[in-house]
Amino acid sequence: MTASPAILPERGPGDRLTALFWRRPRLLLALLLGPPLIWLGVVYLGSLLALLLQSFYSIDEFSGVVKEEFTLKTYAELFRAQNLDIILRTLLMSAAVTLGCAIIAFPIAYYAARFAKGRWKAVFYLGVMLPLWSSYLVKVYAWKLILAKEGIVTWVAEHIGAGVILNAVLALPGIGGNSLSTAPLGTFLVFVYVWLPYMILPMQAALERVPTTMLEASADLGASRSQTFRTVILPLALPGVVAGSIFTFSLTMGDYIIPQIIGTSARFIGLAVYQFQGTAGNLPLAAAFAVVPIVIMLVYLAIAKRMGAFDAL
Amino acid sequence: MHSDRASLGLRIAALAGLLFLHLPILLIFLYAFTTEEKSYQFPPPGLTLEWFAVAWHRADIWPPLWLSVQVATIATVLALILGTLVSAAMAQSRFFGREQISLLILLPIALPGVITGMALRSAFSVMDIPYSVWTIILGHATFCIVIVYNNAVARFRRLSGGILEASADLGANAFQTFRHVLLPNLGSALLAGGMLAFALSFDEVIVTTFTAGQQSTLPIWMLQELVRPRQRPVTNVVAIVVFAATFLPILIAYYLTRSGSETAGAGK
């Protein structure tokens, strides 16, 4: 009987490399991490640094040429009344959209997490996932059709005798307008629609983690349905709501397509960035405007982290 | 006493919410057949199929469509390579800076698109890089990495390390293990990730407007039609194409990964 060796003979470079990886696992790790980290580090972080750099440049008011020397002048421009207006308007809209999304999302997330079983679970899952992934522009376009003056909303309102109500709402100062597609209310509606799935998903994840035993305990201790809801379910779902609000808030703050297509032409941060870098050619001011949402989101994330939102993601 | 049946109010609110998410998109289909091309009149005064033929013969639609397909394909391939590499690294070991790397992968999609777009635009301006197909791809690949990563890393987590050790014990080297053991197990997750990355890139408009210069992808063409419409139903025909190009991949990705505990798509 011939004893076969415990270690097989090497068959080629593949084997040699395998042995090398086995002896030095860090080498394999470095090879795996290298390309993606170089890409993200150079392309992404590099670009963010360029953005920061650009925001410390300024534009020469007479020639319109970017002066490449360090100054805080561009940031000071953010505090002009019309620019503060843009920032304030954006924050208000983001907060309103977040609230609107939370209210509409809750019943869907709650039903999907607690009651949907089997086939219905799949229906709810796909029912949220398909709108989330379908084309953003197509969704915005659909709402342009819906909210147009001659569109379906006006038609339905007139046929059910609610035309008066629609006109009364449109006559309200601040949110109304000529038609829904040119009113701030329309902008709000489309924002809520487009970002709704981003709120439902983390909410549902948080609600699914509420143990049923806790609900039973609450019932055993004599709490009514609504008491259980208020004192057990809502506090436990809150991190999910905060997690969802990170998305709805951040996405609303950065969007420039929706306010451009639906609503008054009042500017939001995203639109300001777009216009300053494009037609106005003021790259430094556009960059400074883009830094605003980053700072706001960093503060927002710090608060969210304290409220335990990251465990719900 | 808590019951296992939802109250009527909750059921109605949940169903109404789902309908709210889906009904608007159906109108896109209806308006592709309307005979009215100057306004969005509802109900349409008549129905016709002519817009599909008109769209087919419009010369300004084909170059953007071709550009979008090119960009999405190349960005998806790049994202597949980079996303698989980084997920393999993150799955196999713990190391210093792991948390920071996962944040770095997530960042391009967590920050609003306008920031990513503006950042790339500043970088091109600072470095004097002219706009081209590649500047678009650069941006798209960056935010597609996270999609592939999410899918692949979930599959790695489910995969027991035992089968890799078994493969090594049976005499396979690292490359044979990758080809015969790892790849078949990762396959459907990578396909799902690739599908989603393609859908995301094909539809992306916010970052693209900052990185495209004078060229148009299909979404940019659509955006221009939204701002200054002409032959409105043609836009609807194109919208149906874009919708299909994003709808089908997510449906396929769902069926590819639904057996697992981690289903594709939850993190866009």
Side-chain angles (χ1 to χ4, degrees):
Chain A
M1 200 176 135
T2 50
S4 57
I7 297 169
L8 293 172
E10 255 177 32
R11 286 162 300 184
D15 283 8
R16 256 195 300 281
L17 274 173
T18 307
L20 185 64
F21 291 154
W22 177 252
R23 280 194 297 272
R24 295 166 185 250
R26 296 269 141 184
L27 180 70
L28 178 62
L29 188 65
L31 282 178
L32 289 174
L33 276 177
L37 283 192
I38 290 170
W39 180 286
L40 286 170
V42 172
V43 175
Y44 194 66
L45 288 184
S47 300
L48 282 178
L49 282 179
L51 175 77
L52 214 58
L53 184 70
Q54 192 72 252
S55 70
F56 286 109
Y57 289 164
S58 67
I59 197 157
D60 190 293
E61 272 155 40
F62 298 105
S63 61
V65 177
V66 177
K67 277 194 294 192
E68 299 194 349
E69 48 195 68
F70 182 87
T71 168
L72 285 172
K73 213 177 90 189
T74 312
Y75 277 104
E77 268 186 65
L78 284 182
F79 292 95
R80 278 194 198 159
Q82 82 246 38
N83 291 342
L84 274 181
D85 255 10
I86 295 175
I87 296 172
L88 198 66
R89 183 181 303 117
T90 310
L91 285 178
L92 267 177
M93 180 59 92
S94 306
V97 169
T98 300
L99 197 66
C101 282
I103 292 170
I104 300 179
F106 197 84
I108 305 175
Y110 189 53
Y111 190 93
R114 287 265 294 120
F115 301 105
K117 301 257 154 40
R119 274 185 55 134
W120 276 102
K121 195 104 194 163
V123 168
F124 268 87
Y125 181 80
L126 275 179
V128 176
M129 212 53 80
L130 289 178
L132 171 69
W133 280 89
S134 24
S135 166
Y136 162 84
L137 262 187
V138 170
K139 284 184 278 193
V140 177
Y141 184 43
W143 279 89
K144 197 173 166 78
L145 303 173
I146 293 170
L147 299 179
K149 197 168 186 60
E150 67 277 11
I152 190 168
V153 170
T154 315
W155 184 80
V156 169
E158 273 165 13
H159 277 74
I160 61 170
V164 191
I165 302 175
L166 182 63
N167 285 330
V169 171
L170 285 176
L172 289 175
I175 63 166
N178 185 29
S179 75
L180 274 175
S181 66
T182 55
L185 183 63
T187 320
F188 167 78
L189 269 175
V190 181
F191 270 135
V192 169
Y193 172 80
V194 172
W195 309 137
L196 186 58
Y198 293 87
M199 180 62 100
I200 298 175
L201 290 171
M203 235 185 204
Q204 188 181 336
L207 283 166
E208 263 165 6
R209 253 172 272 167
V210 177
T212 26
T213 47
M214 231 176 236
L215 306 182
E216 278 159 13
S218 167
D220 285 348
L221 293 170
S224 70
R225 253 181 114 114
S226 69
Q227 272 177 318
T228 305
F229 183 77
R230 269 200 324 265
T231 56
V232 180
I233 296 174
L234 266 190
L236 287 173
L238 194 64
V241 181
V242 178
S245 77
I246 296 172
F247 295 109
T248 55
F249 202 88
S250 148
L251 289 165
T252 310
M253 210 160 44
D255 193 279
Y256 70 90
I257 306 261
I258 291 172
Q260 198 181 340
I261 291 176
I262 287 151
T264 58
S265 38
R267 285 194 288 184
F268 289 82
I269 292 178
L271 201 52
V273 172
Y274 179 66
Q275 289 173 346
F276 280 126
Q277 63 87 33
T279 42
N282 192 343
L283 219 48
L285 187 56
F289 254 113
V291 172
V292 175
I294 301 182
V295 173
I296 294 174
M297 280 324 291
L298 285 179
V299 175
Y300 202 108
L301 286 173
I303 298 172
K305 192 167 180 147
R306 196 168 287 182
M307 293 177 78
F310 290 115
D311 308 326
L313 278 175
Chain B
M1 178 54 215
H2 100 272
S3 76
D4 255 349
R5 284 183 58 78
S7 67
L8 188 66
L10 176 64
R11 262 185 284 172
I12 291 174
L15 230 57
L18 273 193
L19 286 178
F20 172 68
L21 278 173
H22 288 265
L23 289 182
I25 296 173
L26 293 181
L27 275 183
I28 291 284
F29 288 83
L30 175 68
Y31 276 94
F33 299 98
T34 181
T35 48
E36 168 66 51
E37 66 166 286
K38 294 271 185 299
S39 76
Y40 301 119
Q41 190 189 341
F42 188 90
L47 298 175
T48 169
L49 281 171
E50 73 168 307
W51 300 115
F52 287 84
V54 174
W56 184 268
H57 291 292
R58 279 257 302 254
D60 58 327
I61 296 175
W62 291 101
L65 176 64
W66 173 230
L67 182 66
S68 282
V69 171
Q70 259 179 310
V71 167
T73 309
I74 300 174
T76 303
V77 171
L78 283 171
L80 272 174
I81 297 169
L82 297 172
T84 311
L85 284 176
V86 74
S87 62
M90 300 290 268
Q92 65 147 0
S93 48
R94 320 244 153 264
F95 50 88
F96 178 74
R98 203 166 173 277
E99 294 282 298
Q100 284 71 25
I101 291 176
S102 81
L103 184 70
L104 178 63
I105 301 166
L106 195 74
L107 215 54
I109 208 141
L111 286 178
V114 74
I115 293 175
T116 309
M118 189 59 216
L120 287 166
R121 168 98 170 72
S122 308
F124 298 151
S125 152
V126 168
M127 298 171 68
D128 281 322
I129 299 174
Y131 295 113
S132 68
V133 185
W134 292 101
T135 52
I136 307 178
I137 292 170
L138 213 62
H140 283 206
T142 304
F143 58 70
C144 283
I145 294 176
V146 59
I147 309 292
V148 176
Y149 169 77
N150 277 343
N151 278 282
V153 89
R155 183 63 59 90
F156 267 118
R157 231 178 269 141
R158 268 206 299 146
L159 211 64
S160 95
I163 60 167
L164 300 182
E165 282 168 20
S167 168
D169 282 349
L170 293 170
N173 68 31
F175 301 93
Q176 288 166 323
T177 304
F178 177 76
R179 167 76 188 75
H180 297 290
V181 179
L182 204 50
L183 212 54
N185 273 297
L186 279 183
S188 62
L190 290 185
L191 190 59
M195 290 267 178
L196 294 176
F198 186 91
L200 190 65
S201 163
F202 192 82
D203 170 47
E204 196 337 292
V205 63
I206 294 195
V207 177
T208 317
T209 43
F210 288 91
T211 57
Q214 296 302 312
Q215 332 164 59
S216 332
T217 58
L218 202 56
I220 291 187
W221 178 89
M222 238 183 102
L223 183 61
Q224 285 160 353
E225 293 294 306
L226 286 191
V227 179
R228 269 178 296 279
R230 69 183 180 115
Q231 288 191 315
R232 295 173 194 225
V234 171
T235 315
N236 285 72
V237 174
V238 175
I240 292 176
V241 174
V242 175
F243 177 74
T246 52
F247 183 85
L248 294 177
I250 163 67
L251 212 55
I252 297 169
Y254 169 74
Y255 282 106
L256 282 173
T257 54
R258 72 183 158 152
S259 52
S261 53
E262 304 265 350
T263 320
K268 180 176 178 175

